[in-house]
């Protein structure tokens, strides 16, 4: 029994549709997909000669299911170098729904000069069908605490803006000036027009 080309193509298309629908069902049942982003900023305190480290951690659930018993731990900040000023380095949430975001922040202070390499924060969570899972935050760049920074000169930002946008501003100015000259009547043509009316 020979299969015609049309029947063969119909069978292939049907198999592709079945496999795509099976794949989409498998993808939709992935569960929680936790993304953790860690941000750090430095702020030098001139009054005390120390530097504040502000840490902010955002936890996103990009998956299709809820994550339960979510625990954040960021304990890479050694007590010899850092003092906790506000907040906690660990916290927890009962649940993190699909598509939602939670944030946590804390502030540290250091009076020790040097380069610090921080570790990623760890997020542990649970889903009903499996044991505990964990995710790691994005790494941070090395922090140069109490580093000797060159003082920022006055008008440095203006020079940067001029270098970046100067040519664009000059072109726009020339175009606007040209449009003004073309659109506005000149005094000599207005004078000629008034002489002709008399």
């Amino acid at each position: 029994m020979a299969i015609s080309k049309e029947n063969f193509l119909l069978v292939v298309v049907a198999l592709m549709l079945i496999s795509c629908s099976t794949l989409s069902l498998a993808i939709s049942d992935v569960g929680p997909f936790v993304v953790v982003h860690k941000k750090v900023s430095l702020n030098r305190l001139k009054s005390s000669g120390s530097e504040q480290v502000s840490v902010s951690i955002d936890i996103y659930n990009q998956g299709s299911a809820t994550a339960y018993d979510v625990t954040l731990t960021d304990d890479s900040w050694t007590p010899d170098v850092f003092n906790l000023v506000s907040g906690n380095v660990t916290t927890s949430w009962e649940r993190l729904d699909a598509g939602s975001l939670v944030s946590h922040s804390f502030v540290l202070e250091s009076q020790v000069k040097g380069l610090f390499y921080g570790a990623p924060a760890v997020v542990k969570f649970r889903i009903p069908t499996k044991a505990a899972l964990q995710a790691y935050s994005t790494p941070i760049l090395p922090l140069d605490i109490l580093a000797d920074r060159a003082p920022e000169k006055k008008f440095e930002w203006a020079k940067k803006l001029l270098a970046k946008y100067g040519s664009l501003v000059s072109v726009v100015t020339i175009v606007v000036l040209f449009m003004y000259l073309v659109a506005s009547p000149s005094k000599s043509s207005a004078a000629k027009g008034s002489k002709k009316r008399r």
Side-chain angles (χ1 to χ4, degrees), residues 1 3 30 32 40 45 51 62 73 96 126-128 139-140 146 161 189 197:
M1 175 175 184
I3 298 177
V30 168
V40 176
L45 302 174
E51 191 142 26
Q62 299 293 335
T73 306
L96 181 59
R126 183 183 58 78
I127 57 176
I140 59 171
L146 295 172
L161 284 175
S189 65
R197 290 182 197 158

Side-chain angles (χ1 to χ4, degrees), residues 41-78:
S41 64
L42 297 175
N43 182 24
R44 181 155 313 166
L45 302 174
K46 293 181 182 180
S47 61
S48 64
S50 62
E51 191 142 26
Q52 275 193 343
V53 180
S54 299
V55 181
S56 175
I57 301 171
D58 297 326
I59 304 171
Y60 306 89
N61 182 355
Q62 299 293 335
S64 60
T66 301
Y68 296 96
D69 301 329
V70 180
T71 304
L72 166 69
T73 306
D74 189 16
D75 55 4
S76 65
W77 309 96
T78 57

Side-chain angles (χ1 to χ4, degrees), residues 104-163:
H104 179 67
S105 59
F106 54 93
V107 179
L108 304 160
E109 188 174 278
S110 177
Q111 294 182 343
V112 178
K113 183 177 181 177
L115 203 58
F116 177 74
Y117 296 92
V122 178
V123 173
K124 294 182 180 182
F125 59 96
R126 183 183 58 78
I127 57 176
T129 58
K130 294 186 180 177
L133 301 171
Q134 68 182 20
Y136 294 96
S137 72
T138 53
I140 59 171
L141 295 173
L143 301 175
D144 201 357
I145 298 171
L146 295 172
D148 298 326
R149 296 182 186 101
E152 192 167 327
K153 299 174 185 171
K154 290 183 179 180
F155 305 113
E156 190 67 31
W157 59 273
K159 289 180 186 177
K160 289 178 185 177
L161 284 175
L162 187 60

